[in-house]
């Protein structure tokens, strides 16, 4: 297993379009996280899954954001009706217990 | 409130010298882990070092060591014999093991290494 992977790595979209990102965690990890990182800032927590259950969702996550992890393996993060303020790096991470491993991120640019 | 504060937005160190990055955090819990992560420019975030809050002994990983002061809620990172490859953003973070398992990150410190 080579680590956490994310697809796509870069996405440019027009305002108002929907986008979906995928994360494949390390296979034996049962916890999966989504974070958002803007330039010069630390990662901000968005949501967290334990297996297929979404256990916590940040208030940063508006109704336009939805995340799923249908079979407790890969996860998707969808943003509907994108806005310019959604431009950021979206990081996925997975964890087994006491350490988290990050994916390379998906950089989103909303024009 | 669960917060992590890194008061140094940017630090510089001469190659082969030692630098210390500071971090303070706020939690009322007693069971948690602390971490330092490194994020090189346009590259993936990687774990540098971690510390269990119940351990008094400071963690060490090669040239990286921490100074953990639990009562002061302070967790600084010392990098010895700095190398050009150490240049990156460094993030301090912690995870609680009561209820939620989310990681809380600081805003980061950009470390520049001067040749």
């Amino acid at each position: 297993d080579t680590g956490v992977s994310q697809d796509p790595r870069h996405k440019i979209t027009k305002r108002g379009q929907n986008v979906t990102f995928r994360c494949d965690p390390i296979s034996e990890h049962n916890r999966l996280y989504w974070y958002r990182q803007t330039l010069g800032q630390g990662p901000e927590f968005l949501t967290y899954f334990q297996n297929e259950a979404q256990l916590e969702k940040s208030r940063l996550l508006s109704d336009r954001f939805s995340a799923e992890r249908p079979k407790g393996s890969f996860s998707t993060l969808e943003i509907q009706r994108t806005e310019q303020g959604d431009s950021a790096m979206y990081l996925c991470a997975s964890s087994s217990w006491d350490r988290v491993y990050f994916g390379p991120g998906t950089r989103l640019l909303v024009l | 409130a669960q917060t992590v504060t890194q008061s140094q937005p940017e630090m510089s160190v001469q190659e082969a010298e030692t630098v210390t990055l500071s971090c303070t955090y706020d939690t009322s819990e007693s069971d948690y882990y602390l971490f330092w992560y490194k994020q090189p420019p346009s590259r993936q975030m990687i774990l540098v070092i971690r510390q269990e809050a119940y351990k008094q002994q400071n963690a060490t990983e090669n040239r990286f060591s921490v100074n953990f002061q639990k009562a002061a809620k302070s967790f600084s990172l010392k990098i010895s014999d700095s190398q050009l490859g150490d240049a990156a953003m460094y993030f301090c973070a912690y995870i609680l093991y009561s209820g939620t398992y989310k990681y809380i990150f600081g805003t980061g410190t950009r470390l520049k290494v001067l040749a």
Side-chain angles (χ1 to χ4, degrees):
Chain A
D1 194 297
T2 57
V4 180
S5 62
Q6 291 186 246
D7 184 68
R9 295 289 306 276
H10 303 272
K11 179 72 178 179
I12 300 174
T13 191
K14 292 182 179 179
R15 190 174 50 187
Q17 297 295 306
N18 299 344
V19 294
T20 299
F21 308 142
R22 178 180 169 122
C23 170
D24 287 274
I26 294 172
S27 57
E28 61 266 26
H29 287 180
N30 59 359
R31 293 200 197 101
L32 186 146
Y33 303 83
W34 284 99
Y35 281 82
R36 181 171 66 187
Q37 187 179 23
T38 51
L39 201 61
Q41 298 296 314
E44 295 175 296
F45 172 79
L46 293 180
T47 190
Y48 150 59
F49 291 85
Q50 182 149 326
N51 300 311
E52 65 274 12
Q54 188 174 19
L55 297 188
E56 189 167 346
K57 202 171 160 180
S58 165
R59 276 170 278 184
L60 291 173
L61 227 58
S62 74
D63 291 344
R64 297 183 298 105
F65 288 73
S66 62
E68 294 181 344
R69 195 183 182 196
K71 297 180 181 177
S73 57
F74 73 92
S75 175
T76 57
L77 177 69
E78 182 184 14
I79 310 174
Q80 295 182 326
R81 304 180 305 281
T82 51
E83 302 173 357
Q84 287 182 325
D86 298 332
S87 295
M89 175 77 86
Y90 289 83
L91 297 170
C92 177
S94 71
S95 166
S96 59
W97 178 236
D98 58 357
R99 64 187 69 194
V100 67
Y101 295 86
F102 282 86
T106 294
R107 186 172 294 283
L108 173 66
L109 177 61
V110 182
L111 302 176
Chain B
Q2 299 170 2
T3 58
V4 176
T5 301
Q6 294 179 249
S7 58
Q8 307 151 315
E10 191 170 292
M11 294 280 286
S12 295
V13 63
Q14 206 70 35
E15 198 175 3
E17 297 294 310
T18 296
V19 65
T20 299
L21 309 184
S22 66
C23 171
T24 58
Y25 58 94
D26 187 16
T27 178
S28 56
E29 302 293 333
S30 59
D31 189 14
Y32 52 90
Y33 281 77
L34 294 155
F35 305 85
W36 278 97
Y37 281 88
K38 170 184 176 181
Q39 189 176 42
S42 301
R43 293 185 64 186
Q44 205 155 332
M45 193 171 306
I46 57 175
L47 177 67
V48 174
I49 196 167
R50 68 185 186 112
Q51 170 84 40
E52 295 91 331
Y54 64 86
K55 287 189 177 177
Q56 292 185 330
Q57 186 173 6
N58 289 323
T60 300
E61 286 285 343
N62 302 314
R63 298 183 294 106
F64 299 88
S65 61
V66 298
N67 183 4
F68 174 45
Q69 303 288 329
K70 190 171 184 179
K73 297 180 181 175
S74 168
F75 183 61
S76 61
L77 174 70
K78 184 170 87 170
I79 306 174
S80 304
D81 186 26
S82 297
Q83 300 174 0
L84 294 177
D86 294 334
M89 282 291 285
Y90 286 81
F91 294 99
C92 177
Y94 74 83
I95 183 172
L96 301 176
Y97 282 97
S98 58
T100 183
Y101 291 92
K102 68 183 180 187
Y103 290 75
I104 308 295
F105 285 84
T107 52
T109 296
R110 181 174 302 281
L111 178 66
K112 294 184 177 180
V113 181
L114 309 173

